[in-house]
Every structure is written in structure tokens, then in C-alpha cells.
């Protein structure tokens, strides 16, 4: 593998690929990359901008979680960097436009903790229906309160899921197996799984659901999605959960509806303002209420999810470094590859202008480079083309390809 800075001259062997993994990424990620022969350095903590700039010199693949910020300044100081793996769900900590402009691929793990969130939601729904939190707290305080009052089975109840994406739809399947009738509302057209029924408005869902659970994404329009008006439309004595985005819920309004008894219980894993560091104080309108379960944004935090994230993102980085695969890249055009075995392959990220492919192929033809296979994909302003050729391409050809006005980044892989 080689990159275009200033232009490619020689191939890098797998053993020359340098990887830096920060923030205590699961060991399986490092092991997977070492298995390919890459040189992998791991560090426990996050790095600030200046430390990162120092550490990233000569690094081709960088792995981070949510607290290392990848700014334009960092990217400018990292000419060898070809890909960043966010070993988490979100990529807000990365300046994506700046990475894209430089042809640096970004990968994340959008699905690895879906099941963990679903299992927590199920556990909380049953806990709220049986008032487990209250009963356990009573017992710890030495109170024996054996009573069926206010405790219910979930069988035959209606679960209303707002946001039927990865998490919402998986929750739907498991909830049905528990005997729930499932209804959902999503702003996009979504296939109803099992016997779930789609509601055409959120109001319809609120009026028929015994439990309402939010699984929407963090688009700006979802700030304040669920306030006093929506809560008032819920069935009396229903339950409410939010394991999606803190900003979606008006917590002061929720407190009022719980105190009035209109909402019989709630479980919240995400909050409009969350402590930045471990041990920082937690403030919320919802503290101290009965039958309210509060958890510190741990919906997706299980050892299984961390392990899965480690393996998943490492496999994306390896496929990109060794074979140019961009399947599920956050920012580059996607090209799916059957395996990471290549013959001689040119990976070229370019500006998406008319005629680029003809220019690339014309140039290869002039130099009598025979094209054996080719895949092109475009995404917004960028195009990405993988070209398999019969033999290693010489430095003169690479220099000319790198010099095309549309070329953003060129690598030769073997
Ligand atoms: N608590 C945790 O630890 C944790 C872990 C993982 C994910 N999450 C959060 O859970 C949420 C869901 O994750 P996902 O992977 O299922 O996301 P997703 O993108 O697959 O699904 C989100 C769904 O919500 C829908 N939606 C968006 N706005 C809506 C609205 N106003 N009304 C109705 N539907 C709307 C979208 O169309 C989409 O189908 C995200 O916000 C994610 O950040 C939390």
C-alpha cells in the first residue's frame, strides 16, 4: 500500500502498516489487525490535539472512541493517515468534511450495541410494570411490602415504539415474543416486522399504548420531540422509556406527569445534560421519583457490545487498508468486496466530475496497463474507483494518476 503524498512510489507491505489504537479499544480489535501483520500500538486514554499530532506521525490507521477529537489541524499533520476507525456509534468527534476532503475513510460500528439496548429496554419495561425498583429499595430499607397492587404482567399489553430503526425494530420482535401487541410510528416508511402495526401519527400511537418507548435518532428536529403535550396524550397510568437521545424529552414535564400519576413509571438512560467525566455530579428533574429508573447512558455498554465493536471496526480498517473496501464507510463512496485478497489494485478517491473515469482509463491505456476489473462508486462530491490490473504499476504511471486535477488520494495495493 502507498499513498499520494506527494505521489506514490513504492508499495507498503502489511508489516509496514502502522496502527494506533487509543481509548482502551477492545483487545480483539488489536489482535485482528496484528493477525494481518500490521504494527499495532495501543494506548489506554484519549489524547489532546498536540499529543495526538505527535503520536500520529507515520500512522496509517487510527482507532478512537468518543473522547479523542479529530480536528482539521490533526488531519493536516497526518499525511500518512488513510483511515480512522471510530470504535463506537457516533462520529461527531471527527471533522468529517475535513477527513472526506483529504480522502481519509471513516468507519464506525452502527449496529454492534443494538441488542444491548434492546435487552435493557425489555428489562426496564418489566421492572417498571412490576415496580421492581421500588420493591427492592423498600427491602434494602428493611420494609417487607408484599402486595400485588400496581404490579402487572406485560402479556397482552400494547407497546408503542417511536422510531423503528435498528433498535426499535429489534425491540419489536422480542417484545412480541413476550406477548406484547406492538405498534410503531416512524417518519420514514418502515417494514412492520412480525405482527407489529404501523401508526400513521404519533398521536394515534400515544392513545393506544400502555408503554411508550423512544428510539429516534439525533437529528436536530428531535430536540423537544416529547413534551407536556405528548405526555398528556398518553393513556393514564402508562409507562415511558427513553434510551435514545436526551434532548428528545422535556424532563420537567415528565416529572409533573409522574407526580400527578398520569404516567405510572419511567426509565431514562439518556439526559439533555450528561456529566462529562466519571464521578462528575448528575443533576436531573427526575431524581428522587418513585418507580423511575435512571441509568448513566449504559444502554449500549456491555462487554459483548465492546467486543463486537472491536472486531467490527478493525475488520473495516483492515479491508480498507489491504483491499480498498469501503463497505459501511461513514464518508467515502461504498464499494463492497468479496474478500481482502487482491492482485494488483489501484484505489483512487477523486472529485466526482464528469469524464474522470475516462481520463483514468485513457492514462492507463496509454501506458499499456491492462485493466482486469473495475468498480466505481460515487457519493456527493466524491468518487471512488478500484481498478484491478495485471501487474504492479510503475512510479511514472502512479505519478501521472496522482497528478490528475480530480485526484484526492491514490493508493496502490497488492
Ligand atoms: N442508550 C444508549 O446507550 C444507546 C446506544 C445505542 C444507540 N442509542 C441511540 O438510540 C437511537 C436509535 O438508534 P438506532 O441504531 O435504532 O438508530 P436508527 O437510525 O437505526 O433508527 C432511528 C429511527 O428513528 C426514526 N425517526 C427519527 N426521528 C423520528 C421522529 N421524530 N419520529 C419518528 N421516528 C423518527 C428514523 O426514521 C429511524 O428509523 C439513536 O438515537 C442512538 O443514538 C443509544
Amino acid at each position: 500500500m502507498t499513498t499520494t503524498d506527494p505521489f506514490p512510489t513504492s508499495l507498503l507491505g502489511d508489516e509496514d502498516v502502522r496502527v494506533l489504537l487509543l481509548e482502551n479499544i477492545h483487545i480483539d480489535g488489536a489482535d485482528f489487525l496484528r493477525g494481518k501483520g500490521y504494527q499495532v500500538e495501543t494506548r489506554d486514554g484519549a489524547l489532546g490535539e498536540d499529543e495526538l499530532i505527535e503520536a500520529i506521525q507515520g500512522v496509517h490507521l487510527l482507532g478512537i472512541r468518543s473522547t479523542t477529537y479529530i480536528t482539521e489541524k490533526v488531519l493536516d499533520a497526518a499525511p500518512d493517515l488513510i483511515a480512522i476507525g471510530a470504535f463506537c456509534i457516533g462520529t461527531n468527534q471527527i471533522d468529517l468534511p475535513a477527513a472526506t476532503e483529504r480522502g481519509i475513510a471513516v468507519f464506525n460500528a452502527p449496529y454492534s450495541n443494538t441488542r444491548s439496548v434492546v435487552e435493557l429496554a425489555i428489562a426496564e419495561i418489566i421492572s417498571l410494570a412490576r415496580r421492581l425498583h421500588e420493591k427492592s429499595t423498600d427491602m434494602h430499607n428493611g420494609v417487607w411490602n408484599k402486595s400485588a397492587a400496581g404490579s402487572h404482567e406485560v402479556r397482552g399489553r400494547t407497546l408503542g415504539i417511536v422510531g423503528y430503526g435498528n433498535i426499535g425494530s429489534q425491540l419489536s420482535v422480542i417484545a412480541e415474543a413476550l406477548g406484547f401487541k406492538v405498534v410503531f410510528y416512524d417518519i420514514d416508511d418502515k417494514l412492520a416486522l412480525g405482527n407489529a402495526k404501523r401508526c400513521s401519527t404519533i398521536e394515534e400511537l400515544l392513545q393506544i399504548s400502555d408503554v411508550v418507548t423512544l428510539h429516534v435518532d439525533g437529528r436536530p428536529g428531535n430536540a423537544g420531540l416529547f413534551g407536556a403535550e405528548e405526555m398528556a396524550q398518553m393513556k393514564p397510568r402508562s409507562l415511558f422509556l427513553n434510551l435514545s437521545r436526551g434532548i428528545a424529552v422535556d424532563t420537567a414535564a415528565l416529572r409533573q406527569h409522574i407526580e400527578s400519576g398520569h404516567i405510572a413509571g419511567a426509565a431514562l438512560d439518556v439526559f439533555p445534560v450528561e456529566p462529562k467525566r466519571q464521578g462528575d455530579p448528575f443533576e436531573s428533574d427526575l431524581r428522587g421519583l418513585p418507580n423511575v429508573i435512571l441509568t448513566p447512558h449504559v444502554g449500549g455498554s456491555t462487554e459483548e457490545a465492546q467486543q463486537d465493536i472491536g472486531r467490527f471496526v478493525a475488520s473495516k480498517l483492515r479491508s480498507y487498508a489491504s483491499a480498498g473496501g469501503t463497505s459501511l464507510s461513514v464518508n467515502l463512496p461504498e464499494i463492497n468486496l468479496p474478500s481482502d485478497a487482491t492482485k494488483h489494485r489501484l484505489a483512487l478517491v477523486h472529485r466526482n466530475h464528469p469524464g474522470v473515469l475516462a481520463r483514468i482509463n485513457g492514462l492507463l491505456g496509454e501506458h499499456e496497463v491492462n485493466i482486469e476489473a473495475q468498480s466505481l462508486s460515487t457519493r456527493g462530491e466524491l468518487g471512488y474507483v478500484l481498478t484491478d490490473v495485471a501487474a504492479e504499476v510503475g512510479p511514472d504511471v502512479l505519478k501521472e494518476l496522482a497528478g490528475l486535477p480530480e485526484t484526492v488520494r491514490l493508493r496502490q495495493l497488492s
Side-chain angles (χ1 to χ4, degrees):
M1 174 188 69
T2 182
T3 65
T4 49
D5 246 335
F7 57 85
T9 50
S10 61
L11 289 165
L12 268 188
D14 286 338
E15 66 287 355
D16 298 318
V17 175
R18 285 192 50 207
V19 185
L20 176 63
L21 300 180
L22 304 176
E23 301 189 59
N24 219 0
I25 286 164
H26 196 278
I27 184 78
D28 280 15
D31 286 349
F32 186 79
L33 295 167
R34 286 193 183 108
K36 183 72 178 159
Y38 299 169
Q39 299 173 41
V40 182
E41 183 191 344
T42 58
R43 300 199 190 184
D44 285 351
L47 293 181
E49 196 173 59
D50 292 340
E51 292 168 301
L52 182 56
I53 286 173
E54 201 176 309
I56 209 174
Q57 297 310 309
V59 165
H60 303 102
L61 303 173
L62 174 67
I64 57 166
R65 288 172 70 188
S66 55
T67 38
T68 300
Y69 286 83
I70 309 298
T71 59
E72 189 157 17
K73 191 171 159 196
V74 169
L75 296 173
D76 276 339
D80 295 308
L81 191 65
I82 59 160
I84 302 167
F87 285 72
C88 51
I89 312 294
T91 51
N92 296 347
Q93 71 283 34
I94 300 168
D95 185 335
L96 280 180
T100 308
E101 223 171 85
R102 288 157 182 76
I104 296 172
V106 177
F107 298 94
N108 68 341
Y111 314 118
S112 295
N113 63 11
T114 300
R115 181 60 180 236
S116 301
V117 179
V118 169
E119 289 192 11
L120 183 63
I122 292 284
E124 292 185 332
I125 291 168
I126 296 176
S127 298
L128 293 173
R130 298 296 293 270
R131 308 188 79 87
L132 286 191
H133 176 55
E134 268 180 11
K135 287 189 193 304
S136 174
T137 306
D138 280 349
M139 295 289 279
H140 281 284
N141 290 329
V143 178
W144 181 267
N145 180 14
K146 181 171 159 53
S147 158
S151 287
H152 299 279
E153 291 182 356
V154 295
R155 180 172 47 158
R157 298 281 171 164
T158 300
L159 173 65
I161 301 174
V162 181
Y164 205 67
N166 299 315
I167 295 173
S169 56
Q170 189 164 148
L171 176 61
S172 167
V173 173
I174 295 178
E176 270 193 4
L178 286 170
F180 269 111
K181 290 181 215 149
V182 175
V183 296
F184 70 90
Y185 169 72
D186 197 292
I187 46 176
D188 280 349
D189 277 339
K190 294 282 173 175
L191 174 71
L193 300 181
N195 298 316
K197 296 223 165 27
R198 181 191 178 95
C199 294
S200 39
T201 62
I202 195 167
E203 291 76 20
E204 182 188 340
L205 177 143
L206 298 177
Q207 284 157 18
I208 56 177
S209 299
D210 299 297
V211 182
V212 174
T213 183
L214 299 191
H215 298 286
V216 296
D217 55 43
R219 67 187 73 197
N222 283 342
L225 172 71
F226 217 80
E229 205 180 308
E230 288 70 28
M231 291 169 200
Q233 292 176 66
M234 286 171 63
K235 282 170 80 172
R237 306 299 299 157
S238 52
L239 303 172
F240 175 76
L241 289 89
N242 183 20
L243 291 88
S244 62
R245 296 293 175 127
I247 49 149
V249 176
D250 178 343
T251 50
L254 182 56
R255 180 173 189 104
Q256 282 175 7
H257 280 82
I258 291 168
E259 283 177 334
S260 74
H262 181 68
I263 292 178
L268 288 298
D269 186 48
V270 289
F271 304 88
V273 180
E274 295 182 1
K276 289 216 167 11
R277 280 174 298 274
Q278 196 82 330
D280 281 358
F282 168 65
E283 300 297 339
S284 170
D285 299 306
L286 300 168
R287 282 177 50 190
L289 287 172
N291 209 25
V292 171
I293 300 172
L294 304 179
T295 45
H297 204 145
V298 291
S301 303
T302 60
E303 293 190 12
E304 288 78 5
Q306 288 311 316
Q307 185 176 35
D308 199 67
I309 288 171
R311 288 179 187 162
F312 184 86
V313 181
S315 75
K316 296 285 155 204
L317 290 175
R318 182 166 136 173
S319 166
Y320 183 66
S322 294
T326 47
S327 155
L328 293 180
S329 168
V330 175
N331 61 335
L332 290 196
E334 282 195 59
I335 297 184
N336 298 312
L337 295 163
S339 78
D340 68 356
T342 68
K343 293 185 268 181
H344 297 281
R345 180 170 285 170
L346 297 172
L348 197 150
V349 181
H350 57 85
R351 288 180 221 299
N352 185 13
H353 293 168
V356 185
L357 196 58
R359 273 193 283 285
I360 294 168
N361 290 350
L363 203 149
L364 292 173
E366 278 167 31
H367 288 275
E368 306 212 327
V369 176
N370 190 34
I371 298 175
E372 297 196 333
Q374 197 164 46
S375 305
L376 168 74
S377 175
T378 60
R379 181 175 189 168
E381 314 226 311
L382 274 196
Y384 183 49
V385 60
L386 290 178
T387 307
D388 286 357
V389 292
E392 188 179 329
V393 172
D396 290 352
V397 186
L398 295 176
K399 188 175 178 182
E400 281 189 48
L401 282 173
L404 288 175
E406 293 88 358
T407 297
V408 175
R409 203 166 190 113
L410 170 67
R411 293 186 297 139
Q412 180 165 212
L413 317 164
S414 71

